[in-house]
Amino acid sequence: MEHVYVSDIAKYEGQEVILKGWLYNKRSSGKLHFLQLRDGTGIIQCVVFKGDVPEEIFNLADKITQESSIIIQGVVRADKRSPIGYEIGVKGLKVVQMAEDYPITPKEHGVAFLMEHRHLWLRSTRQHAILRIRSEIIKACRSYLDDNGFILIDAPIFTPAACEGTTTLFETDYFGEKAYLTQSGQLYMEAAAMAFGRVYCFGPTFRAEKSKTRRHLTEFWMVEPEMAYYDLNDDMDLAESLLEHIVKQVLKNKRRELETLERDISALEKIEKPFPRITYTEAIEILNKKGMTMTWGDDFGGDEETVLSKEFEKPVLVHRYPLQCKAFYMKADPQDPRLALCVDVLAPEGYGEIIGGGQREDDLKTLEQKIREHNLPMEAFKWYLDLRRYGSVPHAGFGLGIERTVAWICGLHHVRETIPFPRLMERITP
RNA sequence: UCCCCGGUAGCUCAGCAGGUAGAGCGGGUGGCUGUUAACCACUUGGUCGCUGGUUCGAGUCCGGCCCGGGGAGCCA
């Protein structure tokens, strides 16, 4: 007999099949047991009727505990009362392992308790929906770039001597030398872009920031495209197209999961090109009109990002920040050297920054001077400066934070549910 | 690092005028042929975060510490 999955059950109507999974929940009514079987692809109700099975099977069904692993043999039948349209008339039942008292009940739990039991919490319907959407978002990022001429180039996780101070880097011992966990693959992607034209990396990045907010993890995943011969406008066009593609793929392939999360789908359906583009200077004006007191040159905090992103129904691209509050590799705007050719993309509905990027400084002399101005060790950038020595070209790129994107698309309040095993300032287990 | 809130049964919480601990859920037992977080009856269940103090008496008041949550700062 065939082992089938709940997601494919419609194809087997009227047939006898085998399902392998876990007991999600159970209800009984005298001569009936209703077993909710969960197999990772979905949940289906399996009905055990006393008259249909040997007595020992019926008694066994009565004793199964929540999350026990079970194998069920039975007939697939259509039933209007089922949320998925089908249920199983049980003929056989085998318990692979009888679970001990399961800590997570179908009732409410607090955040701390659930985080403590993250390894079990992953089994719940809501977490399934979120992590399936995460999987779809990552797939969409990769397929879009793969299908548009980009090459995947993996960046290293171990990096040598810190470039910009060590306070936000995780230090490790590397055969007696200090090494650090990467904060970004960007510098390596610039090298790769000079080799392959259009490249991207996708991997974990680490920040030892003592940030306790809904937007911060110490370990998070980024997609970082980098493109030779792209200027800031090309960069913004790519960011816009990529985000539109991601949202459309999720709407197309994960609509049921969005419904499970009770996401306002109409808000996502508005995400179509073109997105609004405003300059930093215009953003400051908007914030001041909203009653915040910003002076030109201030960087945006979480509150400012929230206010700005609530102003628009689509992601908003904020470009040309003051050069002074940006990293050394940012290229200055030739039209106004106080400005950097950079862009942040703020997700709507208050979700804030999901992309940061821009055009990189491509002139050797200027870059050397910037490194000195930022008091950075020239030696550490020897290889990076080579890129401006041997065939330097204008180039640009950005980093898209996966977890913040998942939080926005799923409509979640906190990024801790957007990654299977979140790493937070105060939590490294499970 | 700073500010605010919290820690009582396995879980979610109530208990505050200081007088010796309670509900719902879960677990267990029994009942019910159609349950959808099933329901009904009975039942089980506690180092009140730790520590010191005030008091005849502390879950309750005070100090210190630990842990968690929310936020800020920080945040290529």
Side-chain angles (χ1 to χ4, degrees):
Chain A
M1 199 168 306
E2 204 176 344
H3 168 209
V4 303
Y5 288 93
V6 175
S7 53
D8 301 326
I9 209 71
K11 289 186 256 172
Y12 298 92
E13 185 180 345
Q15 296 180 43
E16 193 168 333
V17 298
I18 286 176
L19 287 158
K20 301 181 179 185
W22 296 264
L23 185 69
Y24 193 68
N25 199 3
K26 180 181 72 180
R27 287 177 284 271
S28 297
S29 178
K31 299 191 172 70
L32 287 168
H33 293 304
F34 300 98
L35 309 179
Q36 314 294 326
L37 177 134
R38 170 182 77 72
D39 75 348
T41 70
I43 293 172
I44 193 166
Q45 173 159 284
C46 306
V47 183
V48 189
F49 175 51
K50 193 162 189 173
D52 285 350
V53 293
E55 198 173 344
E56 62 266 28
I57 296 282
F58 187 78
N59 291 338
L60 182 61
D62 186 41
K63 289 202 169 54
I64 316 175
T65 51
Q66 188 188 358
E67 285 302 322
S68 287
S69 35
I70 53 176
I71 297 175
I72 279 177
Q73 187 179 332
V75 178
V76 181
R77 57 190 186 216
D79 193 304
K80 275 181 247 147
R81 289 165 294 192
S82 162
I84 60 167
Y86 299 90
E87 64 176 22
I88 304 294
V90 175
K91 293 196 163 181
L93 166 67
K94 191 183 161 205
V95 174
V96 179
Q97 191 251 333
M98 192 69 85
E100 297 175 22
D101 283 353
Y102 190 68
I104 301 179
T105 67
K107 296 280 181 173
E108 282 179 71
H109 297 284
V111 170
F113 178 81
L114 290 169
M115 291 296 287
E116 210 64 57
H117 295 84
R118 182 62 175 168
H119 52 298
L120 302 176
W121 190 20
L122 294 178
R123 302 179 185 195
S124 73
T125 307
R126 179 182 162 82
Q127 299 310 310
H128 271 221
I130 295 168
L131 293 177
R132 284 206 181 94
I133 290 170
R134 177 190 171 95
S135 175
E136 185 71 32
I137 287 170
I138 292 171
K139 186 174 152 193
C141 287
R142 299 188 60 146
S143 66
Y144 183 84
L145 294 167
D146 291 343
D147 294 346
N148 283 281
F150 284 73
I151 307 291
L152 173 71
I153 300 288
D154 302 306
I157 303 293
F158 284 128
T159 57
C163 299
E164 291 187 36
T166 56
T167 51
T168 63
L169 289 164
F170 285 105
E171 189 179 305
T172 64
D173 175 77
Y174 196 79
F175 304 112
E177 299 279 306
K178 282 180 184 173
Y180 303 89
L181 300 184
T182 184
Q183 283 191 309
S184 161
Q186 183 200 313
L187 270 47
Y188 298 98
M189 287 308 100
E190 289 186 56
M194 298 307 127
F196 294 89
R198 284 169 295 172
V199 299
Y200 73 100
C201 63
F202 173 63
T205 51
F206 308 86
R207 308 238 169 132
E209 291 156 11
K210 296 200 170 178
S211 303
K212 276 177 62 173
T213 82
R214 75 184 76 146
R215 303 172 165 162
H216 287 85
L217 295 166
T218 56
E219 179 181 312
F220 65 98
W221 290 65
M222 276 207 291
V223 177
E224 294 177 89
E226 190 74 30
M227 298 74 66
Y229 292 107
Y230 267 46
D231 63 14
L232 179 63
N233 280 332
D234 300 326
D235 202 33
M236 292 199 281
D237 290 346
L238 177 69
E240 193 176 66
S241 300
L242 177 61
L243 284 175
E244 183 193 63
H245 178 77
I246 291 167
V247 172
K248 285 199 182 310
Q249 288 300 108
V250 172
L251 283 171
K252 185 174 145 205
N253 300 323
K254 291 291 175 276
R255 190 166 281 263
R256 208 176 47 204
E257 283 76 5
L258 291 171
E259 284 162 3
T260 296
L261 297 171
E262 297 175 320
R263 180 68 167 100
D264 175 6
I265 290 173
S266 68
L268 295 177
E269 283 169 339
K270 292 174 186 156
I271 309 304
E272 287 188 323
K273 290 193 288 188
F275 298 164
R277 297 181 186 194
I278 60 171
T279 64
Y280 166 88
T281 308
E282 288 163 342
I284 290 285
E285 283 166 17
I286 290 172
L287 289 171
N288 282 326
K289 268 184 205 150
K290 289 276 149 190
M292 310 188 87
T293 47
M294 301 292 291
T295 45
W296 198 93
D298 291 349
D299 208 349
F300 301 140
D303 288 347
E304 287 80 26
E305 280 185 9
T306 302
V307 169
L308 277 176
S309 72
K310 279 186 174 161
E311 278 294 287
F312 301 93
E313 289 188 325
K314 300 179 187 182
V316 56
L317 289 79
V318 183
H319 57 92
R320 292 178 169 81
Y321 283 66
L323 197 59
Q324 66 200 38
C325 58
K326 288 290 169 181
F328 76 93
Y329 51 71
M330 295 278 186
K331 187 173 179 65
D333 186 351
Q335 310 293 314
D336 182 350
R338 295 178 306 154
L339 303 177
L341 292 174
C342 66
V343 60
D344 281 357
V345 181
L346 308 182
E349 301 169 76
Y351 279 93
E353 184 181 352
I354 53 172
I355 282 179
Q359 193 172 335
R360 324 302 188 186
E361 181 51 67
D362 51 277
D363 179 69
L364 178 64
K365 289 284 172 288
T366 311
L367 194 54
E368 283 174 340
Q369 193 192 323
K370 288 281 201 59
I371 289 171
R372 277 191 292 271
E373 281 170 12
H374 282 77
N375 290 315
L376 299 171
M378 196 63 72
E379 184 60 26
F381 295 97
K382 195 167 177 292
W383 68 267
Y384 184 68
L385 290 164
D386 271 356
L387 305 175
R388 277 67 179 173
R389 230 172 233 121
Y390 306 109
S392 187
V393 299
H395 62 290
F398 60 84
L400 167 67
I402 294 295
E403 286 75 17
R404 289 180 179 183
T405 304
V406 176
W408 161 49
I409 290 178
C410 290
L412 306 179
H413 178 70
H414 199 296
V415 289
R416 69 185 153 221
E417 285 181 81
T418 64
I419 184 166
F421 294 96
R423 293 295 173 249
L424 299 152
M425 188 181 127
E426 303 282 6
R427 182 176 298 283
I428 195 168
T429 49

